[in-house]
Amino acid sequence: SPKSSEKVSVVIICLIIIDLESKQMSMKVNGGLCVALSVVIGGCSWMGAANLPSIQSPTNFVSMNPDMRNIESLPYLAWWQQFNDKTLNGLIESALKNNMSIGMAISNAENARGQLTQVELGWVPGIGLWGGYSTNPALGTPGSFLGLFPALSLNIASQIAQTNLAEYGVKYQQSALDGARLEVISAIVAAYFTLISQQQQLVLLKQYSADLVKLVELSVKKLNIGLQSDIELSQLKSQQSLIAAQIELTKHNIQLSSNAINYLLNKNPEQVKIGGNFAQLDFSKFKPGDLPANVLQNRPDIKMAEYALQVSHAKVGIDYSNLFPNIQLDKFVAGVTGNPLVMMPNQFSQYTDAYSIWGVEPSIFGAIEADKSAYAAQVYSYVQTVRRALKDTDNAFSANNRYTKNYQEIESAYMSLTKHLLLQGNLSQNGILAYPELLQSKLAVAALSILLNQAKLQQASALVSLYQQLAGGYKYKESESYNKLKIDG
């Protein structure tokens, strides 16, 4: 079949139509026909690809630090493997093979390819097998006959426009599949880091609670001998209640993260037991970056917006194609008797038809206007999608930078307070510092370690979001996961 993007073919069709009609109508061409032909010619511009809106994008992202390096071929980079975590790698592999969102996207892509095949086969004539008895004079009074009837009824302009629509539909669904893979990868990594961070958080909270119990016991003893007021003990018990509440919320967050991972893996809810060490992960060393032009070129949502615009443009082309004539080509090749008294065909006969049919439904002009308005809306949607992608990516750079610095500042405070606790420990061993005061300092360090763990999760989440906005990793093992999912499905 001819490529749908060849505008030249459509222009030739328009000229042929004008020539045929001028010969048929001769001097009888009236003003109405001239108007109709001008509309048809105007519709030829809608048969090819749409010109994308011109959008001036920045040369660099405002929030991207100079120390961040541009990474080529980010869609093919398995960036999560830089953490050297076998558990995380295994979860990604399993999700790409078993996730239902990816499965649905694959089915939608296959459906779009089937629709394209259906349209392309429109160029192929159908073949009918005819047999029976007829005395119709228009058929030459064949008597008994048995033959083939290949026939093709075709609106060439409509066929080209529909091929345009189907091809862009395939590209749209393929981009949707890429988007599903990108989202699933990011969701798995985010859920995994959340899970192991909350597991670490639970350990820290329990340690804090254990030290707080010791301090409460000492306070009770002091209260009993009159060395301490009831006010200080009440404050400590209040802290105990707050820590107990945080422990319960942390357990809930662990279950939420487990359920999120199971859902992404197409499993039922259950506890996910993972032994990853969140404290040993260093997120500060990862500094991905890219140019705005590359980000826009790589992001699936931008491609989806582009192909949605092209689909809308092609629909207007289909509307205009209804103003073009249908061409009917058929040929009847048969064995006939030529004699009503003879039953078995004993002669060869063939008939050929070639003609055009042209009619216009007034309602098509309303459809043209409606689809033109829909196309205009898609143009606005495309521009909005580009602007949103630039905004979200710059926000991701800013978040990554700020949360990294936030973590580093808290880490610095934690290291200083840890050194202070070490010095107090030496004083306590030498009898210079009372044990309750040492416990108070230990609780302060524990509280800061809890805050540090939360800051690290924020840093990790910001890094995952940045890789997602940069469209990292969705092309990783694309064909392999596609084939595996289809076998399992």
Side-chain angles (χ1 to χ4, degrees):
S1 64
K3 292 184 178 180
S4 60
S5 60
E6 294 179 353
K7 293 183 179 180
V8 177
S9 301
V10 182
V11 174
I12 293 175
I13 294 171
C14 294
L15 295 176
I16 292 174
I17 292 171
I18 295 172
D19 182 62
L20 290 175
E21 291 301 323
S22 63
K23 289 180 180 179
Q24 292 177 1
M25 300 302 296
S26 185
M27 298 301 294
K28 298 181 181 180
V29 176
N30 54 32
L33 180 59
C34 291
V35 172
L37 290 176
S38 65
V39 172
V40 171
I41 294 173
C44 293
S45 62
W46 292 87
M47 298 297 175
N51 294 321
L52 296 178
S54 178
I55 304 175
Q56 184 177 2
S57 61
T59 55
N60 288 291
F61 288 103
V62 176
S63 301
M64 179 176 166
N65 282 344
D67 59 343
M68 290 183 167
R69 58 187 182 89
N70 294 336
I71 302 176
E72 295 183 0
S73 303
L74 259 171
Y76 298 90
L77 175 66
W79 55 269
W80 56 91
Q81 293 181 352
Q82 301 172 91
F83 297 105
N84 296 319
D85 191 318
K86 293 182 179 179
T87 302
L88 175 59
N89 294 341
L91 290 173
I92 295 292
E93 298 288 343
S94 180
L96 291 176
K97 295 174 183 177
N98 300 301
N99 181 264
M100 289 296 98
S101 294
I102 294 178
M104 287 186 289
I106 290 174
S107 297
N108 290 335
E110 289 184 337
N111 177 266
R113 292 188 190 99
Q115 293 181 22
L116 174 59
T117 301
Q118 180 181 0
V119 172
E120 290 176 334
L121 290 176
W123 295 95
V124 180
I127 300 178
L129 178 62
W130 287 29
Y133 177 84
S134 175
T135 59
N136 191 337
L139 298 177
T141 314
S144 298
F145 66 91
L146 179 64
L148 298 176
F149 187 73
L152 178 65
S153 181
L154 183 66
N155 181 330
I156 297 179
S158 177
Q159 184 68 22
I160 293 175
Q162 289 184 30
T163 304
N164 273 339
L165 179 66
E167 287 180 343
Y168 286 120
V170 170
K171 293 178 180 179
Y172 177 89
Q173 294 299 341
Q174 181 60 51
S175 299
L177 172 56
D178 292 339
R181 289 169 56 86
L182 176 62
E183 184 175 351
V184 167
I185 290 171
S186 302
I188 279 286
V189 180
Y192 175 76
F193 286 151
T194 301
L195 176 59
I196 61 176
S197 74
Q198 292 304 292
Q199 289 175 341
Q200 177 70 15
Q201 189 83 340
L202 186 60
V203 172
L204 295 174
L205 286 170
K206 287 182 176 180
Q207 289 176 349
Y208 187 97
S209 179
D211 290 335
L212 192 57
V213 167
K214 295 179 181 179
L215 191 58
V216 168
E217 291 175 350
L218 291 174
S219 296
V220 170
K221 292 179 180 179
K222 286 184 177 181
L223 180 63
N224 292 335
I225 61 176
L227 295 178
Q228 183 174 300
S229 68
D230 189 50
I231 297 176
E232 186 174 347
L233 180 60
S234 298
Q235 291 176 341
L236 291 175
K237 289 185 176 181
S238 175
Q239 290 183 36
Q240 277 187 308
S241 298
L242 289 176
I243 292 300
Q246 291 185 43
I247 288 175
E248 294 304 317
L249 289 179
T250 302
K251 290 179 178 178
H252 175 60
N253 290 335
I254 290 174
Q255 189 58 49
L256 287 179
S257 302
S258 298
N259 289 343
I261 292 175
N262 286 320
Y263 174 76
L264 292 168
L265 299 179
N266 190 30
K267 293 181 178 180
N268 293 326
E270 60 182 22
Q271 277 197 337
V272 178
K273 297 181 179 180
I274 294 175
N277 193 330
F278 189 65
Q280 292 182 350
L281 294 175
D282 182 7
F283 299 101
S284 303
K285 64 181 181 180
F286 301 107
K287 300 177 181 179
D290 209 346
L291 298 175
N294 292 338
V295 172
L296 295 178
Q297 183 179 0
N298 292 333
R299 284 178 62 122
D301 59 336
I302 299 298
K303 295 179 183 179
M304 290 173 66
E306 175 186 344
Y307 296 137
L309 184 148
Q310 296 290 2
V311 165
S312 183
H313 187 273
K315 288 180 179 179
V316 180
I318 291 177
D319 292 337
Y320 271 109
S321 71
N322 291 321
L323 301 175
F324 287 70
N326 267 32
I327 297 175
Q328 178 70 29
L329 302 173
D330 57 62
K331 188 178 185 68
F332 184 58
V333 181
V336 302
T337 63
N339 186 340
L341 300 177
V342 180
M343 295 302 296
M344 296 300 296
N346 55 11
Q347 301 178 34
F348 176 77
S349 181
Q350 60 179 347
Y351 309 94
T352 301
D353 293 315
Y355 53 90
S356 64
I357 305 172
W358 195 1
V360 177
E361 292 289 339
S363 61
I364 193 61
F365 295 102
I368 289 174
E369 291 306 312
D371 284 339
K372 279 186 176 180
S373 298
Y375 169 72
Q378 284 295 338
V379 172
Y380 293 128
S381 178
Y382 173 79
V383 175
Q384 185 181 45
T385 302
V386 171
R387 296 297 185 201
R388 183 171 57 248
L390 293 172
K391 170 186 70 71
D392 291 346
T393 306
D394 194 76
N395 287 347
F397 275 119
S398 178
N400 183 69
N401 296 336
R402 304 310 170 196
Y403 282 121
T404 296
K405 290 181 179 179
N406 175 69
Y407 171 77
Q408 290 172 344
E409 292 296 334
I410 296 176
E411 184 183 35
S412 177
Y414 173 77
M415 296 302 294
S416 298
L417 197 59
T418 301
K419 290 181 180 179
H420 179 70
L421 177 62
L422 181 62
L423 293 175
Q424 286 187 316
N426 293 332
L427 293 176
S428 178
Q429 289 179 356
N430 295 325
I432 302 176
L433 183 69
Y435 182 65
E437 294 183 28
L438 179 64
L439 276 179
Q440 288 284 6
S441 297
K442 191 176 181 182
L443 285 174
V445 172
L448 199 53
S449 68
I450 293 171
L451 183 61
L452 182 65
N453 187 70
Q454 293 173 334
K456 191 169 189 176
L457 176 58
Q458 292 175 327
Q459 181 192 22
S461 300
L463 181 63
V464 173
S465 177
L466 178 57
Y467 272 112
Q468 182 176 8
Q469 296 299 331
L470 294 175
Y474 67 86
K475 289 288 187 182
Y476 167 74
K477 288 190 176 181
E478 182 179 24
S479 59
E480 179 179 324
S481 62
Y482 171 86
N483 293 332
K484 182 68 168 89
L485 183 61
K486 292 311 295 177
I487 292 173
D488 291 346

